[in-house]
Amino acid sequence: MPRAVAERGDVVPVLAEVFRSHGFDGASLAVITEHTGLGKGSLYNFFPRGKDEMAEAVLDEVDAWFQAAVYRPLRGSEPAAARLDRMFDEVETYFRSGRRICLFGAFALGLERDRFADRVRAYFTDWVDSLAGALSDAGHGRQSRPLAEEVVAGIQGALVLARALDDPDSFTRILTRLRRAVADSTQSRA
């Protein structure tokens, strides 16, 4: 259902949901205008470079959220265990307990991958690097990076599985196991 849009920032969350629902290629201008309530002229006024610029704006917004809610806190000064717990809490909330797909993950797998490769790579690199730093602070040493890669891959895989099985609870179960594994291995190193 279209909603009122007054400025560019108002349309970006709507575009995010369109890309989540229809994918980049499936998000035709007809679908976008239907969901945003904007005509093509208004869309091109906000996004002169068209759908690529729309996707970039969406990825900017998602990245900004992850920077503020996940990456910076992982690099913060709180005790490492608290930073790790916060990451799991924020990720579960953001992905709506497995009911929301990851746009960076979807773009990594789709035909648009090459078009947004640098952005996708940066998202995953920032996450793994930030998580590896917190795991290192928790005493994981040389295992910090491999464990960070495993956790990020586990979260992304859980999102795909939840979507494939139409079972969002599987995301929550896997996230809980990942959280427990990280906590247990962190405690055993303390």
Side-chain angles (χ1 to χ4, degrees):
M1 174 185 296
R3 57 178 261 235
V5 175
E7 54 190 50
R8 179 183 161 123
D10 294 335
V11 76
V12 173
V14 179
L15 290 170
E17 294 312 314
V18 170
F19 289 131
R20 282 187 181 96
S21 298
H22 298 276
F24 181 80
D25 287 332
S28 66
L29 280 179
V31 168
I32 292 169
T33 59
E34 176 186 341
H35 286 274
T36 62
L38 294 174
K40 289 179 185 178
S42 296
L43 285 170
Y44 280 107
N45 183 50
F46 288 143
F47 305 98
R49 291 185 296 110
K51 195 163 71 165
D52 280 8
E53 187 174 355
M54 293 176 204
E56 289 168 2
V58 168
L59 293 176
D60 285 345
E61 184 172 275
V62 172
D63 184 62
W65 185 90
F66 269 85
Q67 290 291 340
V70 177
Y71 310 152
R72 277 194 291 276
L74 279 170
R75 295 186 302 261
S77 59
E78 283 186 299
R83 289 183 271 155
L84 295 166
D85 271 344
R86 178 177 174 170
M87 181 204 71
F88 283 108
D89 290 342
E90 294 291 350
V91 164
E92 184 165 16
T93 299
Y94 181 81
F95 291 120
R96 298 181 183 157
S97 301
R99 289 172 179 82
R100 175 189 251 186
I101 69 165
C102 175
L103 280 171
F104 280 97
F107 280 26
L109 299 172
L111 296 174
E112 63 279 2
R113 185 218 172 273
D114 291 340
R115 181 178 287 144
F116 301 106
D118 291 340
R119 302 293 305 280
V120 169
R121 187 178 305 106
Y123 168 84
F124 284 105
T125 300
D126 284 352
W127 195 351
V128 169
D129 288 350
S130 300
L131 179 54
L135 290 167
S136 180
D137 292 348
H140 287 272
R142 291 184 7 207
Q143 292 305 309
S144 297
R145 185 158 191 87
L147 181 55
E149 290 170 345
E150 186 176 330
V151 169
V152 172
I155 291 167
Q156 291 295 315
L159 288 167
V160 171
L161 185 66
R163 179 83 167 188
L165 298 177
D166 194 22
D167 178 17
D169 291 338
S170 65
F171 175 78
T172 302
R173 289 190 303 271
I174 293 167
L175 199 64
T176 298
R177 286 194 299 274
L178 288 168
R179 180 193 298 254
R180 191 177 309 124
V182 167
D184 290 350
S185 66
T186 298
Q187 289 173 357
S188 70
R189 294 177 185 282

